[in-house]
Amino acid sequence: AVANMGDSRVYEYDVAAGTVVQLTVDDSLVQRLVSEGKISKESAFLNPDRNIINRSLGDIRKPEEVEVSYHNVKPGAVYLATSDGFSDLVHPNSLTPVIREEYGKSFNPDTNKPDLKSFTKGLVQRASNIMTGTNAPQRKMDDISVAAMKIPRV
């Protein structure tokens, strides 16, 4: 089960297939417009209102339940929880190649395993480079957080 509220997202990286699937959507005004078919995902990525959220933890004015979704866990897959600081900077079309590349760079030949700390640091650095080093239209100052969990093969 994945619990989600606010502007964070959870992704599944299927290492064997090299694919990334977004498991959750954020609780933003812009995401609601995408879900209702009023704007495209592409225009959402550059929308100046993408930081307006509808729900958040700790909002005592309107306490709401956390969104819970259920997914089959894939052995060998890596699950990523990201802040909007990450997902707002890394373009959806670049997400899979960026994750694949950083995962590959984090692989430790001595242990024959990926180093998840190195992997997440690499992802944060990639987003940070976009935020500080370019004039990209999606550039905005925000916190960038990524957490990863790898499901072992049995």
Side-chain angles (χ1 to χ4, degrees), residues 104-131:
K105 289 185 347 188
S106 76
F107 201 78
N108 184 335
D110 295 333
T111 62
N112 202 29
K113 295 180 181 177
D115 177 356
L116 293 183
K117 185 174 182 180
S118 172
F119 173 51
T120 57
K121 283 177 105 174
L123 291 173
V124 168
Q125 188 59 54
R126 292 285 284 265
S128 180
N129 290 348
I130 293 169
M131 182 171 61

Side-chain angles (χ1 to χ4, degrees), residues 4-7 25-29 52-59 62-68:
N4 186 57
M5 179 180 270
D7 51 8
V25 293
D26 54 43
D27 290 309
S28 69
L29 168 67
I52 299 173
I53 57 175
N54 300 319
R55 306 187 302 169
S56 66
L57 290 174
D59 186 348
K62 51 179 187 170
E64 300 194 38
E65 291 186 30
V66 173
E67 183 78 28
V68 177

Side-chain angles (χ1 to χ4, degrees), residues 9 29-47 50 91-92:
R9 295 182 184 171
L29 168 67
V30 171
Q31 178 58 52
R32 188 174 68 212
L33 295 173
V34 169
S35 298
E36 293 172 354
K38 294 180 179 174
I39 64 171
S40 69
K41 282 180 114 175
E42 184 64 32
S43 65
F45 184 70
L46 299 175
N47 191 301
R50 67 186 184 276
H91 193 280

